[in-house]
Amino acid sequence: MNQQIAPDDEDQDSLQAYFKPDVSPDDLEQVFRLKRAQPVLQAFTALFHGGADGVLVRLLVLRELMSDTQSSAFTRADINTRLGYLIPDSLETVLARLRSHGLLAWDPAQGVYRITPIARNVVAAIDGLLGMDKEEDDADMGYVLSQVAGSQAVGGVSIEQLHHLLGRLVELTEEFRDAIASGSEFRLRAAQEKWHAACDWVEKGSEIIHAITTDSRADAATHRAAQAIGRAQSALLNMQGMFSRALNQIERQRVHLGQSGLSTTDIKTWLMRHEDLASLASEAISLPVTPMFITPSEMIDVAETELFADKRNAVNSVLPAGENAAVTASEASTIPAELDAWLTRLSAFATDSSGSTKVHDTLLPANFAVASYRASLLPLLGDESESALQGGTATMARLPLEFVPKDGMVKLKDPHVAAMSIASLTPKKDIQSTTQPNTQPDIEHDR
């Protein structure tokens, strides 16, 4: 059985070994860009290849040499004096590695070391990342946004940098939506604090995005990326209402302990502050628990007593006299049947293509009680909150009808209803652009 083994970094002979046989890496755009940046990648390899301690020492040496702004050249004696706290052999190994990878340049004519421009760029990028205060950047957007701002200032913002910022905004939006969907109050509040930090960065980034979109020198891809970032920022800012609704829902469901003013949230917060919850039980019981033991003989005596007691009670007990069960006649409510009939009638009006229908023609004929019940349901037509529910009233809210009331009353020749508000029911396809808000029509009893 043949088993394919992934190529090892040390034994890698060519880049093609990582790709499928029918795929050429030179045909990929990203491979071309990475190959073009090979000197920079080699500089990072020289710094970060190996153990963490070795990486720390290499960065220490470079940063220490770059901190001297008085001279651009260093003799070996100067380096030994500045880095006298390092072992000479270890210092020599670090200098040789930096020199062999082009981070330090040796000038044999003058016998001095010089820091190369690529080394300054690499260390400056690392210092920019290390300089971001984690406590002030909970949203982890500061470094990416600073790169976009710096590139925009010098007129060289790239589409990749904009994509990095867009990707971070999308990640934050999904993270906040997951926190809202979780229903956890603690996760919601932590996400809300992070959202506030992200909004601060969004305000700072809006000016940069505006400058990019108004820059006539930017290409179409850059404009599209900037516009996508603007939409992602809007979606992020619009989550404030979602946080408020979720927290209000949790507030309504919070359980309070009697009249103490404490809630389950307060107790959970107090418990979370203790690293060792088991320690709370220390000295909680003043006396140790003493187990009680019973011999088998005592257990038999108790069981025998209980058994005979049950038999005596069974013999002496008398069943109670029987009684006739009370017969009650239950009348089913007529409201569901009346609602079903009303929905059937309204559905017929919704499919009528002749136009609007007067309300009194839809409510009547019926007695005053039924007509009033039907009229009370008319404001539910088109109600979005009601249509999202289940049941008869929700079905009525989803009907394609519009209730349009008007001022005034119309007198009717009906034995039960003397007058009714002027209103009409109109199918949705025939609704005009101007409508009035739904109100229940007034019905006057024919006395």
Side-chain angles (χ1 to χ4, degrees):
M1 181 177 181
N2 295 330
Q3 182 179 5
Q4 294 183 354
I5 302 176
D8 186 74
D9 290 342
E10 299 296 331
D11 300 331
Q12 179 62 26
D13 295 328
S14 66
L15 185 62
Q16 181 64 49
Y18 285 96
F19 294 85
K20 295 180 179 180
D22 56 342
V23 177
S24 175
D26 294 332
D27 296 337
L28 302 177
E29 181 183 0
Q30 292 297 336
V31 173
F32 170 75
R33 294 184 177 181
L34 292 174
K35 281 187 173 181
R36 188 174 57 181
Q38 198 69 24
V40 179
L41 298 181
Q42 290 178 352
F44 277 103
T45 302
L47 286 174
F48 293 101
H49 184 73
D53 295 337
V55 172
L56 190 146
V57 173
R58 293 170 205 144
L59 289 175
L60 175 65
V61 171
L62 274 180
R63 288 166 60 91
E64 188 71 32
L65 295 178
M66 289 182 184
S67 63
D68 187 358
T69 59
Q70 301 298 325
S71 176
S72 61
F74 307 93
T75 64
R76 183 55 192 270
D78 296 335
I79 296 177
N80 291 338
T81 301
R82 182 174 289 275
L83 298 168
Y85 46 81
L86 294 178
I87 299 175
D89 292 340
S90 300
L91 178 59
E92 179 63 29
T93 302
V94 173
L95 293 177
R97 183 178 184 86
L98 297 178
R99 185 174 65 249
S100 62
H101 288 82
L103 296 175
L104 282 180
W106 170 250
D107 187 352
Q110 300 183 10
V112 294
Y113 286 94
R114 300 183 188 274
I115 299 175
T116 61
I118 192 171
R120 293 192 181 276
N121 291 337
V122 169
V123 176
I126 297 174
D127 288 343
L129 183 59
L130 297 178
M132 290 296 168
D133 191 352
K134 178 63 179 176
E135 296 180 358
E136 297 180 359
D137 186 16
D138 294 333
D140 295 326
M141 288 179 58
Y143 181 74
V144 178
L145 191 59
S146 65
Q147 294 296 307
V148 176
S151 299
Q152 172 62 20
V154 297
V157 63
S158 64
I159 189 68
E160 288 80 6
Q161 291 173 326
L162 295 179
H163 285 169
H164 294 329
L165 179 57
L166 177 60
R168 184 55 189 157
L169 290 172
V170 173
E171 290 173 358
L172 286 173
T173 303
E174 293 177 353
E175 179 182 347
F176 296 151
R177 285 176 179 169
D178 292 341
I180 293 172
S182 68
S184 171
E185 179 182 3
F186 294 89
R187 187 175 174 184
L188 268 173
R189 295 196 181 279
Q192 191 178 36
E193 293 180 1
K194 194 171 185 178
W195 178 84
H196 285 297
C199 289
D200 294 338
W201 287 111
V202 167
E203 293 180 0
K204 298 176 182 179
S206 297
E207 298 180 0
I208 302 173
I209 300 304
H210 176 72
I212 295 175
T213 54
T214 56
D215 188 359
S216 59
R217 298 173 298 175
D219 55 10
T222 304
H223 277 285
R224 287 195 298 269
Q227 292 171 358
I229 292 174
R231 290 191 294 270
Q233 288 178 340
S234 299
L236 194 66
L237 295 175
N238 289 335
M239 300 192 75
Q240 173 62 27
M242 300 173 65
F243 277 113
S244 300
R245 286 192 295 271
L247 290 173
N248 290 337
Q249 182 69 20
I250 292 176
E251 186 67 28
R252 288 194 296 268
Q253 297 175 353
R254 181 173 294 153
V255 178
H256 293 270
L257 305 180
Q259 303 298 325
S260 63
L262 295 176
S263 66
T264 52
T265 301
D266 300 327
I267 296 177
K268 185 175 181 180
T269 304
W270 182 77
L271 290 175
M272 291 176 64
R273 295 175 181 173
H274 294 272
E275 296 181 359
D276 185 10
L277 293 179
S279 63
L280 298 177
S282 300
E283 301 181 359
I285 303 176
S286 58
L287 296 176
V289 178
T290 303
M292 302 296 293
F293 297 97
I294 302 177
T295 63
S297 299
E298 293 172 338
M299 297 173 63
I300 293 175
D301 293 340
V302 173
E304 184 179 7
T305 303
E306 293 293 334
L307 176 62
F308 285 109
D310 292 339
K311 288 185 176 180
R312 287 194 298 270
N313 293 335
V315 173
N316 298 331
S317 60
V318 180
L319 294 176
E323 296 181 359
N324 295 328
V327 179
T328 58
S330 60
E331 297 181 359
S333 175
T334 60
I335 291 181
E338 190 64 45
L339 179 59
D340 293 340
W342 178 231
L343 288 175
T344 303
R345 190 170 184 182
L346 286 179
S347 299
F349 288 119
T351 57
D352 188 4
S353 60
S354 59
S356 61
T357 305
K358 297 180 180 179
V359 168
H360 59 265
D361 291 336
T362 62
L363 301 180
L364 301 176
N367 57 37
F368 183 79
V370 174
S372 299
Y373 171 69
R374 293 175 176 176
S376 65
L377 297 178
L378 289 178
L380 294 178
L381 291 173
D383 191 320
E384 295 182 359
S385 59
E386 184 67 27
S387 63
L389 304 177
Q390 301 293 331
T393 56
T395 302
M396 180 177 176
R398 291 191 289 267
L399 289 175
L401 288 172
E402 179 76 8
F403 172 55
V404 183
K406 299 180 181 179
D407 295 334
M409 302 281 289
V410 58
K411 294 183 178 181
L412 305 174
K413 294 181 180 180
D414 188 87
H416 303 286
V417 180
M420 189 180 300
S421 298
I422 300 175
S424 62
L425 290 180
T426 307
K428 283 293 181 66
K429 60 183 178 180
D430 294 330
I431 298 174
Q432 302 297 327
S433 59
T434 58
T435 58
Q436 298 180 2
N438 290 349
T439 57
Q440 180 180 340
D442 295 330
I443 299 179
E444 183 178 342
H445 201 292
D446 191 353
R447 302 184 184 278

